[in-house]
Amino acid sequence: FVVACYRDTPTAPDGIHVREPHLLDADRRFFADLATRADTDPAYDWWFRRVHRASPRTLELQRACAQSLPEYPLFSIVVPLFHTPENFLRDMVDSVIAQTYDRWELVLVNASADDERLRAVVDDVCERDSRIRLIELDDNHGITLNTNAGIRAARGDFVAFLDHDDTLEPDALYCYAAAIGDEPQTDMLYCDEDHLTGDRYEMPFFKPDWDLDRLCYENYVCHMLCVRASVLDDLGELPGPEFDGAQDHNLTLLVGERARHVSHVPRVLYHWRKHEGSTAQGGAEQKEGTLEAERLAIANHLERTGIAGTCTIGKRMPWRCDIDFAFDPEPLVSIVIPNKDGSDMLRALVESIFQKTTWTNYEIVIVENNSEEPETFALYRHLQKTDDRVRVVQQETDGSFNFSRTINVGFEAAQGEYLLMLNNDMELLTGDWLHKMVGMCQRPDVGVVGARLLYTNGCIQHIGVDAGRIYSPAHFNVFLPNDPGCNEFNEAPHRLLATTGACLMTKRSVFQAVGGMDEVLAVDYNDVDFCMRVCKLGLAVVVSPEVCLTHYESVTRGGRTTAAKRARFASNLGRYASRWGDYLACGDPWHSPNFKWGSLYFALDWNGNEVWPCAWTFAP
């Protein structure tokens, strides 16, 4: 791909100061190197074998101390079989027998009653180890019911699910047992995974910690799902065949609604085999009915959790699902826009809101801050006269710019239940933006919702803020093309520690609970600090890529072009770091530690340390 790097230009044809792409070979090579994504990196196989995979010495130590772990549960590994090729079956069984954690049982559910060859292989593997058990079915009842038979036969404290043609790393169960020991209230676990093509590992998926919004877009949890047996018992009747092909997605939603704690082990412990006829080879759309089963699973989740809306097949990504939220009546949304002059920019923003917004119940509160141009005040009068949803609030100021104070003034004057801070250097691209943002923000577990922002040439300006394992908070995938990104990060709703205040929605109750924006952080990092304080309440910060705006970025206020501005920036960074230094050092739990330190572009971490993230003190 070609990456656009930017230089400032003084004017544009419409008189608005914007940023223009300027392609330089050196810059393009620099960003291309930074943006070698882990999921497509051709060096991943070498990296996994030499850097990430547990060493023989580590495996030896695990075998020696497994029984000394704080928790020593029995794992039941359920594997439905259906005309499984012999080599795949033996590889799968070998990977289980090789586990460094020895307290397990392997429950093979054979739905191939007429396959004598498979039965002979199963008998042979059962003789190898007394922990392997066979459950024979009279016929193939479909993947969901076949799996249910294994669940009913399981004797373990936890039930794990393994496909008949996939393999595990030898430390998979040890890592799961260690995670349960670290958090005894764990009711569900999952790990990172990759694909196995022949003898080559590729296409890794370094997953985020528990993220319900992403789960409603795709089954990112997938492998290796492991659930506490008592939680499965509490489900009562197990799911039916209508979920065939999406049975694990449905089960993850069911258990996730009940789980006291969900543990994510950020290691590649599961290998999803790619071969002709596998879902890994052809994608979820290969198996007939899978997408409809996913849609049904998500729709049922919405109904169970009381979220008003419908789940439909995706419009932008037709192999995924979309949620269309419903509101009756629509709550009032207050759009608060700080402004200093820049009347052309403000006019373009407000007109795009009027012309494109499908939401009807909103108000626009413009906070006037030190404007000097007559055109600006003429525009204020025109907007208020044209539409009674527009109000202009005069901020008392000493002449300095304090974004936090301006937002606090605007939110104080606003009347809505939902509050949206919006820069004046924006232009709306999607009409249903408020439906999407309010739809997510209405959940009691969500405190902040952000958006996808683009430069004028269509490249990404913001898709979330990296608030950890980096020198200072910065935007993910900045300057990169607006494509799906690493493991569809740019398309999937996702949780992070922070999003930009250029377009940020919150609830009035949440804003008041954290005491508003911190006016000590006048210009820089106030939005990130606000998000971190919301997280500390146990609430989620979610980015919705479906909400898309053009961002002209710091047009009216300008960049850090003077010594005073640079000094202010350094001071704000110091204040921010003193408050949230743990996260700058340890990282965002929704951004994998397997990515390179300081990488905004999802590159592999070549340092190869096996340090797990520190204990997150406020992640729910």
Side-chain angles (χ1 to χ4, degrees):
F1 54 82
V2 176
V3 177
C5 302
Y6 294 83
R7 68 175 178 184
D8 286 340
T9 54
T11 59
D14 57 3
I16 297 173
H17 181 102
V18 299
R19 295 184 178 223
E20 174 187 356
H22 181 57
L23 300 180
L24 297 173
D25 287 342
D27 291 334
R28 186 166 61 247
R29 287 194 301 271
F30 172 72
F31 277 102
D33 178 63
L34 285 178
T36 302
R37 293 173 6 194
D39 62 338
T40 57
D41 193 331
Y44 170 74
D45 182 80
W46 192 98
W47 179 88
F48 173 75
R49 295 176 187 273
R50 304 294 181 88
V51 177
H52 184 73
R53 174 177 260 170
S55 67
R57 176 60 175 162
T58 298
L59 298 178
E60 181 183 344
L61 291 172
Q62 289 178 359
R63 289 190 178 93
C65 66
Q67 296 184 21
S68 301
L69 289 169
E71 297 285 335
Y72 190 51
L74 172 64
F75 290 98
S76 294
I77 304 174
V78 173
V79 182
L81 307 178
F82 185 67
H83 297 302
T84 309
E86 178 178 352
N87 59 326
F88 293 169
L89 175 58
R90 291 191 182 278
D91 287 350
M92 180 272 294
V93 172
D94 288 346
S95 75
V96 175
I97 292 176
Q99 292 298 303
T100 58
Y101 183 90
D102 61 354
R103 195 157 186 253
W104 55 263
E105 66 169 0
L106 178 59
V107 182
L108 302 177
V109 183
N110 186 12
S112 312
D114 58 345
D115 192 334
E116 295 296 333
R117 175 202 53 81
L118 178 60
R119 175 57 191 270
V121 177
V122 171
D123 288 343
D124 181 57
V125 299
C126 287
E127 291 178 2
R128 288 180 58 192
D129 196 304
S130 60
R131 294 170 294 181
I132 303 177
R133 296 196 291 127
L134 172 64
I135 306 298
E136 289 195 271
L137 303 181
D138 57 357
D139 199 0
N140 177 26
H141 302 288
I143 185 63
T144 302
L145 297 184
N146 294 350
T147 301
N148 290 350
I151 293 173
R152 295 189 185 97
R155 302 166 179 165
D157 304 297
F158 286 83
V159 180
F161 301 93
L162 173 61
D163 290 347
H164 64 167
D165 48 1
D166 298 341
T167 63
L168 300 177
E169 280 296 292
D171 55 337
L173 293 183
Y174 182 92
C175 290
Y176 275 30
I180 295 167
D182 289 341
E183 179 46 75
Q185 289 194 321
T186 295
D187 288 330
M188 183 163 66
L189 305 96
Y190 62 97
C191 63
D192 295 346
E193 61 185 275
D194 62 17
H195 290 75
L196 177 59
T197 305
D199 61 353
R200 180 177 178 80
Y201 300 111
E202 58 185 10
M203 298 172 59
F205 189 178
F206 298 125
K207 304 171 186 176
D209 276 10
W210 178 243
D211 187 341
L212 184 59
D213 291 279
R214 182 148 191 175
L215 188 65
C216 286
Y217 170 82
E218 63 170 337
N219 182 19
Y220 83 91
V221 168
C222 204
H223 304 122
M224 176 178 66
L225 177 63
C226 183
V227 181
R228 188 180 291 273
S230 59
V231 176
L232 292 173
D233 293 338
D234 291 342
L235 294 179
E237 185 178 354
L238 292 172
E242 65 271 22
F243 298 105
D244 281 357
Q247 70 285 345
D248 49 355
H249 196 173
N250 179 61
L251 186 61
T252 303
L253 287 165
L254 282 167
V255 175
E257 295 162 13
R258 297 164 169 78
R260 294 167 299 169
H261 180 80
V262 179
S263 288
H264 165 225
V265 180
R267 292 189 59 80
V268 178
L269 302 174
Y270 190 102
H271 306 297
W272 193 1
R273 192 187 299 272
K274 291 177 65 176
H275 61 87
E276 187 175 352
S278 70
T279 302
Q281 177 70 26
E285 67 275 9
Q286 176 177 334
K287 295 188 176 181
E288 185 177 355
T290 294
L291 190 56
E292 173 56 26
E294 287 196 357
R295 189 204 64 76
L296 179 61
I298 297 169
N300 288 353
H301 163 74
L302 298 178
E303 183 177 357
R304 289 191 301 267
T305 54
I307 298 175
T310 57
C311 183
T312 60
I313 304 302
K315 303 177 186 67
R316 297 174 302 121
M317 310 289 278
W319 54 91
R320 301 298 183 198
C321 293
D322 288 342
I323 296 176
D324 296 320
F325 298 100
F327 303 92
D328 186 21
E330 294 178 349
L332 176 63
V333 176
S334 295
I335 303 171
V336 174
I337 305 172
N339 190 71
K340 177 184 184 297
D341 291 320
S343 57
D344 289 338
M345 188 71 68
L346 180 62
R347 179 184 292 106
L349 169 60
V350 175
E351 287 179 354
S352 73
I353 294 173
F354 285 157
Q355 293 170 7
K356 297 179 180 179
T357 301
T358 56
W359 189 272
T360 58
N361 192 18
Y362 66 87
E363 65 170 355
I364 298 176
V365 180
I366 300 170
V367 184
E368 156 56 28
N369 177 231
N370 299 320
S371 292
E372 299 173 352
E373 299 171 357
E375 295 87 353
T376 301
F377 298 96
L379 177 62
Y380 291 161
R381 292 190 293 271
H382 170 72
L383 292 175
Q384 293 181 97
K385 182 178 180 180
T386 302
D387 196 305
D388 59 8
R389 291 175 294 184
V390 178
R391 290 189 289 128
V392 177
V393 176
Q394 179 68 50
Q395 176 187 351
E396 295 183 8
T397 175
D398 58 4
S400 63
F401 174 57
N402 188 314
F403 179 81
S404 296
R405 184 178 304 133
T406 302
I407 291 296
N408 288 340
V409 169
F411 280 9
E412 180 70 24
Q415 300 173 354
E417 175 185 354
Y418 293 89
L419 306 173
L420 177 69
M421 57 182 81
L422 188 66
N423 280 15
N424 62 350
D425 54 353
M426 311 282 282
E427 193 167 344
L428 188 62
L429 297 177
T430 50
D432 60 350
W433 65 310
L434 294 183
H435 283 86
K436 297 296 183 182
M437 298 186 83
V438 176
M440 290 182 169
C441 201
Q442 68 177 327
R443 293 208 326 259
D445 62 314
V446 174
V448 167
V449 177
R452 180 202 318 237
L453 308 181
L454 304 178
Y455 286 112
T456 54
N457 71 339
C459 287
I460 291 173
Q461 192 271 335
H462 169 273
I463 196 71
V465 174
D466 185 0
R469 295 182 74 229
I470 196 167
Y471 297 107
S472 64
H475 294 183
F476 284 111
N477 288 340
V478 63
F479 302 138
L480 291 192
N482 185 27
D483 60 19
C486 184
N487 298 120
E488 297 186 20
F489 179 85
N490 297 340
E491 293 293 338
H494 50 265
R495 185 171 176 179
L496 291 168
L497 284 176
T499 183
T500 179
C503 180
L504 183 155
M505 176 177 285
T506 188
K507 293 185 275 270
R508 179 177 296 277
S509 58
V510 173
F511 189 78
Q512 293 172 343
V514 300
M517 300 283 282
D518 186 348
E519 296 182 12
V520 173
L521 298 172
V523 180
D524 300 295
Y525 306 120
N526 40 47
D527 47 1
V528 181
D529 173 77
F530 175 78
C531 290
M532 300 288 272
R533 286 186 284 126
V534 169
C535 286
K536 197 169 183 178
L537 294 179
L539 300 176
V541 174
V542 182
V543 176
S544 175
E546 290 183 274
V547 179
C548 193
L549 301 92
T550 297
H551 187 194
Y552 298 101
E553 193 179 20
S554 303
V555 170
T556 55
R557 292 291 172 179
R560 291 185 285 272
T561 55
T562 66
K565 289 182 178 181
R566 289 192 289 272
R568 181 191 62 200
F569 169 77
S571 175
N572 285 347
L573 176 58
R575 290 180 183 274
Y576 172 84
S578 68
R579 297 176 185 179
W580 309 110
D582 288 349
Y583 288 86
L584 287 174
C586 297
D588 187 325
W590 292 278
H591 184 55
S592 176
N594 295 306
F595 295 125
K596 183 178 180 181
W597 194 94
S599 172
L600 300 169
Y601 304 105
F602 304 91
L604 292 171
D605 178 9
W606 288 88
N607 290 329
N609 61 70
E610 295 186 7
V611 177
W612 286 18
C614 60
W616 309 115
T617 55
F618 57 66

